[in-house]
Amino acid sequence: MSSFRIRSVPVRALDLGLLPKSSPIYHAALQIRAKSTAAATTAASPRSNDLRKNQSNNNNPSSEASTGNTTLSQAPIYTTGLSRLREHYTTSIQEDIMITSYRHHHKQKKQIPEGVKVELKGNKHLKPSPRASSSTEIPELVKIDVHCMMKEAITSKYNLLSGVMAIQSITGETPEIIFAKKGVHNWKLRKGMPIGCRVTLKGDKMYQFLDKLVEVVLPKMKEWPGLPEGSGDGTGNIGMGFPPSALSLFPEIESNFDMYPRMTGFGITFNTTAYTNMDARLLMSGFNMPFQKSNSSSAAARKESSAAVGAAKETEVSKPKDA
Amino acid sequence: MSSPFARTALTKATSLMRAGGSSAIPKKGGGNSLNGEPRNDLIKKVLFDAPPRPPVRLSPEDMTRHETIERAWKLVRQQQKQAQEEGLARKFEMMRKANAELEATSAQLFKHSQTKERHAVFPRQLRTLTDTPPKQIWNYRQPAAAPSPKA
């Protein structure tokens, strides 16, 4: 019976666990991992080097040689199942968005040479210039930022724990704590005080969160007419805020509502690759995010009958008509 | 508390704490008791004191299997993405040609094709794909949408 050494594959679980990077246990685990990798590499170097070369030829950059060093890298662990909204995007709405946001002539903005500072009047700032339409430049949802600021944390920092736990339950990722950059005397806020928490969601987790939002939370919200018609920050991102009552609508919090001492409101930002507000709104509406509609809408596009543009057919059914 | 089952132990304690009532338990030393809130103590443990999971140990054979599977899955995803991008590029090229032709044919029609509606959104009735069909497949009683001026 040939004996083989069982190589330990340490700390892959750091991605999955609830461990924040501020915890001393995280750092201790990292050190243990570093030690074990060092031991493994020094132990079997000549043979492992050959195998490492073979491995790299098979273009597998995420994990290293099999027998020499068996630590798995911190590559994101993707699910093998399908993400519902991601599939919806790629199969149903991506092509329509490509067609609707197509601009045949690209308005090239003036290129500002490097090192030149441009100051605009009236507290305005430069926006990133859009790129020409292309099959690779289609508006897509990149990340969702969930952030929560708790005023009660000024009186006692332990009040923030409830918000952090709530955000973690909702999103599935451990939020990072935000410390005040400046002090505000009127609110008794000092610089460096923990005042809020923030988490960034990408990929499958992002689509999962958006799915929950759109299917479960938003329909339950009382008298919420939808996002404003002109929402957007001018560079293709959309933000929205939730009152504390919205937190109890999430299924994770609804099930053990009593375990959270304080309900807090939070804000969400949808970060997209769109460059304009209309492209961003079009994208989010494709994920069933409702937008308010007014009867008085842009008259110029409607007054004269245009040739059958494929993209316009989607707006025909639901648009209110004005004479 | 280094057992991997530490979290279940904590959750078992929650039911006891909930039965006891949050504000009914008096605590000594107000500053240390996290606002006199035992729930905060539990939350703090879960967030910051939770022990990391024990490392996964794989034999060399298992490691090879794991890597092969990972590589194969990556390859599948790469092929799918490539096929998708090719499809998009094809369609985009057709659209670009059509627009160029329209521009050459009629300036007025081309201008109308390029004017964009500021508040164009997908209809609210848009149905995201699901594994199973809905309970109500088609609403026969829904009133028809008003005819658009374009039609």
Side-chain angles (χ1 to χ4, degrees), chain A residues 6-61:
Chain A
I6 297 173
R7 312 286 165 159
S8 68
V9 183
V11 248
R12 188 191 181 186
L14 269 183
D15 287 337
L16 302 171
L18 298 175
L19 212 56
K21 290 181 181 153
S22 53
S23 161
I25 299 168
Y26 183 91
H27 294 291
L30 275 184
Q31 282 168 18
I32 294 166
R33 180 188 177 209
K35 275 183 204 166
S36 66
T37 56
T41 46
T42 52
S45 32
R47 194 161 162 242
S48 65
N49 275 332
D50 294 328
L51 286 161
R52 217 171 279 138
K53 279 178 201 166
N54 286 336
Q55 286 291 327
S56 60
N57 284 340
N58 292 333
N59 58 25
N60 188 11

Short mmCIF file of all heavy atoms in Angstrom, two decimals, chain A residues 6-61:
data_model
loop_
_atom_site.label_atom_id
_atom_site.label_comp_id
_atom_site.label_asym_id
_atom_site.label_seq_id
_atom_site.Cartn_x
_atom_site.Cartn_y
_atom_site.Cartn_z
N ILE A 6 -1.03 13.43 2.78
CA ILE A 6 -2.23 14.23 2.55
C ILE A 6 -1.83 15.68 2.69
O ILE A 6 -1.41 16.13 3.74
CB ILE A 6 -3.34 13.88 3.55
CG1 ILE A 6 -3.76 12.42 3.33
CG2 ILE A 6 -4.52 14.79 3.37
CD1 ILE A 6 -4.72 11.91 4.35
N ARG A 7 -1.98 16.42 1.61
CA ARG A 7 -1.63 17.84 1.67
C ARG A 7 -2.82 18.61 2.19
O ARG A 7 -3.95 18.38 1.79
CB ARG A 7 -1.30 18.37 0.26
CG ARG A 7 -0.36 17.50 -0.51
CD ARG A 7 1.03 17.63 0.00
NE ARG A 7 1.86 16.54 -0.50
CZ ARG A 7 3.18 16.59 -0.57
NH1 ARG A 7 3.81 17.66 -0.17
NH2 ARG A 7 3.83 15.58 -1.04
N SER A 8 -2.55 19.49 3.07
CA SER A 8 -3.67 20.32 3.54
C SER A 8 -3.89 21.46 2.57
O SER A 8 -2.96 22.00 1.98
CB SER A 8 -3.36 20.88 4.93
OG SER A 8 -2.31 21.81 4.83
N VAL A 9 -5.13 21.79 2.38
CA VAL A 9 -5.49 22.90 1.50
C VAL A 9 -6.11 23.96 2.39
O VAL A 9 -7.31 23.99 2.59
CB VAL A 9 -6.49 22.46 0.43
CG1 VAL A 9 -6.80 23.59 -0.52
CG2 VAL A 9 -5.91 21.29 -0.35
N PRO A 10 -5.29 24.79 2.98
CA PRO A 10 -5.84 25.67 4.02
C PRO A 10 -6.60 26.87 3.49
O PRO A 10 -6.36 27.33 2.39
CB PRO A 10 -4.59 26.13 4.78
CG PRO A 10 -3.51 26.07 3.76
CD PRO A 10 -3.85 24.98 2.81
N VAL A 11 -7.48 27.31 4.30
CA VAL A 11 -8.16 28.61 4.24
C VAL A 11 -8.80 28.93 2.90
O VAL A 11 -8.90 30.08 2.54
CB VAL A 11 -7.24 29.79 4.64
CG1 VAL A 11 -7.73 30.34 5.94
CG2 VAL A 11 -5.81 29.41 4.76
N ARG A 12 -9.27 27.95 2.21
CA ARG A 12 -10.13 28.30 1.09
C ARG A 12 -11.45 28.83 1.61
O ARG A 12 -12.11 29.62 0.96
CB ARG A 12 -10.37 27.05 0.25
CG ARG A 12 -11.08 27.38 -1.02
CD ARG A 12 -11.55 26.17 -1.70
NE ARG A 12 -12.21 26.57 -2.93
CZ ARG A 12 -12.85 25.74 -3.73
NH1 ARG A 12 -12.90 24.48 -3.44
NH2 ARG A 12 -13.42 26.18 -4.83
N ALA A 13 -11.80 28.36 2.81
CA ALA A 13 -13.11 28.71 3.36
C ALA A 13 -13.19 30.16 3.78
O ALA A 13 -14.24 30.62 4.17
CB ALA A 13 -13.42 27.80 4.54
N LEU A 14 -12.10 30.88 3.73
CA LEU A 14 -12.16 32.29 4.11
C LEU A 14 -13.13 33.06 3.25
O LEU A 14 -13.73 34.02 3.66
CB LEU A 14 -10.78 32.93 3.99
CG LEU A 14 -9.92 32.89 5.25
CD1 LEU A 14 -8.64 33.61 5.02
CD2 LEU A 14 -10.65 33.49 6.42
N ASP A 15 -13.26 32.64 1.98
CA ASP A 15 -14.19 33.35 1.11
C ASP A 15 -15.62 33.16 1.59
O ASP A 15 -16.45 34.03 1.49
CB ASP A 15 -14.08 32.81 -0.31
CG ASP A 15 -12.78 33.29 -0.95
OD1 ASP A 15 -12.24 34.30 -0.49
OD2 ASP A 15 -12.32 32.64 -1.90
N LEU A 16 -15.92 31.96 2.08
CA LEU A 16 -17.29 31.63 2.39
C LEU A 16 -17.67 32.07 3.79
O LEU A 16 -18.81 32.36 4.07
CB LEU A 16 -17.50 30.11 2.31
CG LEU A 16 -17.17 29.47 0.96
CD1 LEU A 16 -17.21 27.97 1.09
CD2 LEU A 16 -18.15 29.93 -0.08
N GLY A 17 -16.70 32.10 4.70
CA GLY A 17 -17.05 32.32 6.10
C GLY A 17 -17.51 33.73 6.36
O GLY A 17 -17.44 34.61 5.51
N LEU A 18 -18.00 33.96 7.54
CA LEU A 18 -18.51 35.27 7.91
C LEU A 18 -17.41 36.13 8.49
O LEU A 18 -17.67 37.09 9.18
CB LEU A 18 -19.61 35.11 8.96
CG LEU A 18 -20.85 34.34 8.53
CD1 LEU A 18 -21.77 34.18 9.71
CD2 LEU A 18 -21.55 35.07 7.41
N LEU A 19 -16.17 35.77 8.25
CA LEU A 19 -15.08 36.41 8.95
C LEU A 19 -14.70 37.74 8.30
O LEU A 19 -14.29 37.77 7.16
CB LEU A 19 -13.87 35.48 8.92
CG LEU A 19 -12.96 35.54 10.12
CD1 LEU A 19 -13.72 35.28 11.39
CD2 LEU A 19 -11.87 34.52 9.95
N PRO A 20 -14.84 38.86 9.01
CA PRO A 20 -14.41 40.13 8.43
C PRO A 20 -12.90 40.26 8.53
O PRO A 20 -12.26 39.62 9.34
CB PRO A 20 -15.11 41.18 9.30
CG PRO A 20 -15.30 40.48 10.59
CD PRO A 20 -15.45 39.02 10.32
N LYS A 21 -12.35 41.11 7.66
CA LYS A 21 -10.90 41.23 7.62
C LYS A 21 -10.35 41.94 8.84
O LYS A 21 -9.17 41.93 9.08
CB LYS A 21 -10.49 41.96 6.34
CG LYS A 21 -10.75 41.08 5.17
CD LYS A 21 -10.37 41.67 3.85
CE LYS A 21 -10.73 40.64 2.80
NZ LYS A 21 -11.02 41.21 1.52
N SER A 22 -11.22 42.58 9.59
CA SER A 22 -10.73 43.27 10.78
C SER A 22 -10.52 42.30 11.94
O SER A 22 -9.93 42.65 12.94
CB SER A 22 -11.75 44.34 11.20
OG SER A 22 -13.02 43.75 11.32
N SER A 23 -11.01 41.09 11.78
CA SER A 23 -10.91 40.15 12.90
C SER A 23 -9.48 39.66 13.04
O SER A 23 -8.81 39.37 12.05
CB SER A 23 -11.85 38.98 12.65
OG SER A 23 -11.49 37.88 13.43
N PRO A 24 -8.97 39.52 14.28
CA PRO A 24 -7.61 39.01 14.46
C PRO A 24 -7.47 37.57 14.00
O PRO A 24 -6.40 37.13 13.64
CB PRO A 24 -7.37 39.13 15.97
CG PRO A 24 -8.74 39.24 16.56
CD PRO A 24 -9.60 39.88 15.55
N ILE A 25 -8.60 36.84 14.00
CA ILE A 25 -8.54 35.45 13.58
C ILE A 25 -8.20 35.36 12.10
O ILE A 25 -7.51 34.46 11.66
CB ILE A 25 -9.89 34.76 13.87
CG1 ILE A 25 -10.16 34.81 15.37
CG2 ILE A 25 -9.89 33.33 13.39
CD1 ILE A 25 -11.54 34.45 15.76
N TYR A 26 -8.70 36.30 11.32
CA TYR A 26 -8.41 36.31 9.88
C TYR A 26 -6.92 36.42 9.64
O TYR A 26 -6.34 35.68 8.86
CB TYR A 26 -9.15 37.48 9.25
CG TYR A 26 -9.00 37.59 7.76
CD1 TYR A 26 -9.90 36.96 6.91
CD2 TYR A 26 -7.97 38.32 7.19
CE1 TYR A 26 -9.78 37.07 5.54
CE2 TYR A 26 -7.84 38.42 5.83
CZ TYR A 26 -8.75 37.81 5.01
OH TYR A 26 -8.62 37.92 3.66
N HIS A 27 -6.28 37.35 10.37
CA HIS A 27 -4.84 37.55 10.17
C HIS A 27 -4.06 36.32 10.63
O HIS A 27 -3.09 35.92 9.98
CB HIS A 27 -4.39 38.79 10.93
CG HIS A 27 -4.98 40.04 10.37
ND1 HIS A 27 -4.63 40.52 9.13
CD2 HIS A 27 -5.92 40.89 10.86
CE1 HIS A 27 -5.31 41.61 8.89
NE2 HIS A 27 -6.09 41.87 9.91
N ALA A 28 -4.52 35.73 11.74
CA ALA A 28 -3.82 34.54 12.23
C ALA A 28 -3.93 33.42 11.21
O ALA A 28 -2.95 32.72 10.92
CB ALA A 28 -4.43 34.11 13.56
N ALA A 29 -5.09 33.28 10.61
CA ALA A 29 -5.29 32.23 9.62
C ALA A 29 -4.42 32.48 8.40
O ALA A 29 -3.88 31.55 7.80
CB ALA A 29 -6.77 32.16 9.23
N LEU A 30 -4.28 33.74 8.02
CA LEU A 30 -3.42 34.07 6.87
C LEU A 30 -1.99 33.67 7.14
O LEU A 30 -1.30 33.16 6.26
CB LEU A 30 -3.49 35.56 6.59
CG LEU A 30 -4.63 36.06 5.69
CD1 LEU A 30 -4.48 37.55 5.46
CD2 LEU A 30 -4.65 35.33 4.38
N GLN A 31 -1.54 33.93 8.37
CA GLN A 31 -0.15 33.59 8.71
C GLN A 31 0.07 32.10 8.67
O GLN A 31 1.08 31.62 8.17
CB GLN A 31 0.19 34.13 10.09
CG GLN A 31 0.48 35.62 10.11
CD GLN A 31 0.54 36.16 11.51
OE1 GLN A 31 0.68 35.40 12.47
NE2 GLN A 31 0.42 37.45 11.65
N ILE A 32 -0.91 31.36 9.19
CA ILE A 32 -0.80 29.90 9.16
C ILE A 32 -0.70 29.42 7.73
O ILE A 32 0.09 28.55 7.39
CB ILE A 32 -2.00 29.25 9.88
CG1 ILE A 32 -1.98 29.60 11.36
CG2 ILE A 32 -1.99 27.75 9.70
CD1 ILE A 32 -3.26 29.31 12.07
N ARG A 33 -1.53 30.02 6.88
CA ARG A 33 -1.54 29.64 5.48
C ARG A 33 -0.20 29.92 4.83
O ARG A 33 0.33 29.13 4.08
CB ARG A 33 -2.64 30.42 4.77
CG ARG A 33 -2.74 30.12 3.32
CD ARG A 33 -3.70 31.08 2.70
NE ARG A 33 -3.79 30.87 1.27
CZ ARG A 33 -4.08 31.80 0.40
NH1 ARG A 33 -4.32 33.01 0.81
NH2 ARG A 33 -4.15 31.54 -0.87
N ALA A 34 0.35 31.10 5.14
CA ALA A 34 1.63 31.48 4.55
C ALA A 34 2.71 30.50 4.98
O ALA A 34 3.54 30.08 4.17
CB ALA A 34 2.00 32.90 4.98
N LYS A 35 2.65 30.12 6.26
CA LYS A 35 3.66 29.17 6.77
C LYS A 35 3.54 27.85 6.05
O LYS A 35 4.54 27.25 5.66
CB LYS A 35 3.44 28.95 8.26
CG LYS A 35 4.11 29.98 9.15
CD LYS A 35 3.90 29.64 10.62
CE LYS A 35 4.02 30.92 11.46
NZ LYS A 35 3.52 30.72 12.82
N SER A 36 2.31 27.37 5.87
CA SER A 36 2.13 26.05 5.28
C SER A 36 2.56 26.05 3.82
O SER A 36 3.16 25.11 3.34
CB SER A 36 0.68 25.61 5.39
OG SER A 36 -0.12 26.45 4.60
N THR A 37 2.29 27.15 3.11
CA THR A 37 2.72 27.20 1.70
C THR A 37 4.23 27.24 1.62
O THR A 37 4.85 26.59 0.79
CB THR A 37 2.16 28.44 0.98
OG1 THR A 37 2.55 29.60 1.71
CG2 THR A 37 0.67 28.36 0.88
N ALA A 38 4.85 28.01 2.54
CA ALA A 38 6.32 28.07 2.55
C ALA A 38 6.90 26.69 2.81
O ALA A 38 7.82 26.25 2.13
CB ALA A 38 6.79 29.07 3.60
N ALA A 39 6.31 25.98 3.79
CA ALA A 39 6.81 24.64 4.13
C ALA A 39 6.65 23.70 2.94
O ALA A 39 7.55 22.94 2.61
CB ALA A 39 6.05 24.11 5.34
N ALA A 40 5.51 23.80 2.29
CA ALA A 40 5.24 22.88 1.18
C ALA A 40 6.19 23.13 0.02
O ALA A 40 6.70 22.21 -0.60
CB ALA A 40 3.78 23.04 0.73
N THR A 41 6.43 24.40 -0.28
CA THR A 41 7.29 24.69 -1.43
C THR A 41 8.72 24.30 -1.16
O THR A 41 9.40 23.76 -2.02
CB THR A 41 7.24 26.19 -1.79
OG1 THR A 41 7.37 26.93 -0.58
CG2 THR A 41 5.94 26.53 -2.48
N THR A 42 9.21 24.57 0.07
CA THR A 42 10.60 24.21 0.36
C THR A 42 10.78 22.71 0.45
O THR A 42 11.83 22.18 0.16
CB THR A 42 11.06 24.85 1.67
OG1 THR A 42 10.11 24.53 2.69
CG2 THR A 42 11.18 26.36 1.52
N ALA A 43 9.72 21.99 0.83
CA ALA A 43 9.85 20.55 1.05
C ALA A 43 10.09 19.82 -0.26
O ALA A 43 10.95 18.96 -0.35
CB ALA A 43 8.61 20.01 1.75
N ALA A 44 9.32 20.13 -1.28
CA ALA A 44 9.41 19.34 -2.52
C ALA A 44 9.62 20.27 -3.70
O ALA A 44 8.80 20.35 -4.60
CB ALA A 44 8.14 18.51 -2.71
N SER A 45 10.73 20.97 -3.73
CA SER A 45 10.92 21.99 -4.76
C SER A 45 11.30 21.45 -6.13
O SER A 45 10.70 21.84 -7.12
CB SER A 45 11.89 23.07 -4.30
OG SER A 45 12.87 22.52 -3.45
N PRO A 46 12.31 20.58 -6.28
CA PRO A 46 12.75 20.28 -7.66
C PRO A 46 11.65 19.62 -8.48
O PRO A 46 11.41 19.99 -9.62
CB PRO A 46 13.95 19.34 -7.49
CG PRO A 46 13.86 18.86 -6.10
CD PRO A 46 13.11 19.84 -5.31
N ARG A 47 10.98 18.65 -7.88
CA ARG A 47 9.95 17.94 -8.65
C ARG A 47 8.76 18.85 -8.92
O ARG A 47 8.17 18.85 -9.98
CB ARG A 47 9.51 16.72 -7.85
CG ARG A 47 8.73 15.78 -8.72
CD ARG A 47 8.66 14.39 -8.15
NE ARG A 47 7.58 13.70 -8.82
CZ ARG A 47 6.50 13.22 -8.22
NH1 ARG A 47 6.37 13.35 -6.93
NH2 ARG A 47 5.56 12.63 -8.92
N SER A 48 8.41 19.62 -7.89
CA SER A 48 7.21 20.44 -8.05
C SER A 48 7.41 21.52 -9.10
O SER A 48 6.47 21.94 -9.74
CB SER A 48 6.84 21.08 -6.72
OG SER A 48 7.85 21.97 -6.32
N ASN A 49 8.65 21.95 -9.26
CA ASN A 49 8.89 22.99 -10.26
C ASN A 49 8.54 22.50 -11.65
O ASN A 49 7.94 23.20 -12.45
CB ASN A 49 10.36 23.44 -10.24
CG ASN A 49 10.58 24.50 -9.17
OD1 ASN A 49 9.66 25.24 -8.85
ND2 ASN A 49 11.77 24.57 -8.64
N ASP A 50 8.94 21.21 -11.93
CA ASP A 50 8.63 20.67 -13.26
C ASP A 50 7.13 20.61 -13.47
O ASP A 50 6.62 20.98 -14.51
CB ASP A 50 9.22 19.26 -13.40
CG ASP A 50 10.73 19.30 -13.36
OD1 ASP A 50 11.30 20.30 -13.82
OD2 ASP A 50 11.33 18.34 -12.88
N LEU A 51 6.46 20.13 -12.41
CA LEU A 51 5.02 19.98 -12.58
C LEU A 51 4.34 21.32 -12.71
O LEU A 51 3.34 21.47 -13.39
CB LEU A 51 4.46 19.22 -11.36
CG LEU A 51 4.81 17.73 -11.40
CD1 LEU A 51 4.67 17.12 -10.04
CD2 LEU A 51 3.93 17.03 -12.41
N ARG A 52 4.91 22.31 -12.03
CA ARG A 52 4.31 23.63 -12.12
C ARG A 52 4.36 24.14 -13.55
O ARG A 52 3.44 24.75 -14.05
CB ARG A 52 5.04 24.61 -11.18
CG ARG A 52 4.09 25.59 -10.52
CD ARG A 52 4.78 26.41 -9.45
NE ARG A 52 4.90 25.69 -8.21
CZ ARG A 52 5.99 25.68 -7.44
NH1 ARG A 52 7.05 26.33 -7.80
NH2 ARG A 52 6.01 25.01 -6.32
N LYS A 53 5.46 23.82 -14.23
CA LYS A 53 5.58 24.28 -15.62
C LYS A 53 4.52 23.62 -16.47
O LYS A 53 3.89 24.25 -17.30
CB LYS A 53 6.96 23.92 -16.17
CG LYS A 53 8.04 24.87 -15.77
CD LYS A 53 9.40 24.44 -16.30
CE LYS A 53 10.50 25.09 -15.48
NZ LYS A 53 11.81 24.48 -15.73
N ASN A 54 4.33 22.28 -16.24
CA ASN A 54 3.31 21.57 -17.02
C ASN A 54 1.94 22.15 -16.76
O ASN A 54 1.14 22.31 -17.67
CB ASN A 54 3.31 20.07 -16.66
CG ASN A 54 4.49 19.37 -17.26
OD1 ASN A 54 5.04 19.84 -18.24
ND2 ASN A 54 4.90 18.26 -16.67
N GLN A 55 1.70 22.45 -15.53
CA GLN A 55 0.38 22.98 -15.17
C GLN A 55 0.14 24.30 -15.85
O GLN A 55 -0.94 24.55 -16.36
CB GLN A 55 0.30 23.17 -13.64
CG GLN A 55 0.15 21.87 -12.88
CD GLN A 55 -1.20 21.24 -13.12
OE1 GLN A 55 -2.19 21.93 -13.30
NE2 GLN A 55 -1.25 19.92 -13.13
N SER A 56 1.17 25.14 -15.83
CA SER A 56 0.94 26.49 -16.39
C SER A 56 0.74 26.40 -17.89
O SER A 56 0.07 27.24 -18.47
CB SER A 56 2.11 27.41 -16.07
OG SER A 56 3.29 26.88 -16.64
N ASN A 57 1.30 25.35 -18.53
CA ASN A 57 1.06 25.21 -19.97
C ASN A 57 -0.39 24.90 -20.26
O ASN A 57 -0.91 25.23 -21.31
CB ASN A 57 1.93 24.09 -20.55
CG ASN A 57 3.37 24.53 -20.70
OD1 ASN A 57 3.64 25.73 -20.73
ND2 ASN A 57 4.28 23.61 -20.77
N ASN A 58 -1.03 24.24 -19.30
CA ASN A 58 -2.44 23.93 -19.51
C ASN A 58 -3.32 25.11 -19.17
O ASN A 58 -4.49 24.94 -18.88
CB ASN A 58 -2.83 22.72 -18.65
CG ASN A 58 -2.15 21.46 -19.14
OD1 ASN A 58 -1.83 21.36 -20.31
ND2 ASN A 58 -1.90 20.52 -18.24
N ASN A 59 -2.79 26.27 -19.13
CA ASN A 59 -3.42 27.57 -18.81
C ASN A 59 -4.45 27.45 -17.70
O ASN A 59 -5.64 27.65 -17.89
CB ASN A 59 -4.01 28.27 -20.04
CG ASN A 59 -5.05 27.44 -20.80
OD1 ASN A 59 -5.69 26.56 -20.25
ND2 ASN A 59 -5.22 27.75 -22.06
N ASN A 60 -3.94 27.10 -16.54
CA ASN A 60 -4.81 27.11 -15.37
C ASN A 60 -4.18 28.03 -14.34
O ASN A 60 -3.47 27.61 -13.45
CB ASN A 60 -4.93 25.69 -14.81
CG ASN A 60 -5.97 25.64 -13.72
OD1 ASN A 60 -6.73 26.57 -13.52
ND2 ASN A 60 -6.00 24.55 -13.00
N PRO A 61 -4.43 29.30 -14.46
CA PRO A 61 -3.70 30.22 -13.59
C PRO A 61 -4.19 30.22 -12.15
O PRO A 61 -3.51 30.70 -11.28
CB PRO A 61 -3.95 31.59 -14.25
CG PRO A 61 -5.23 31.42 -14.97
CD PRO A 61 -5.30 30.00 -15.40
#
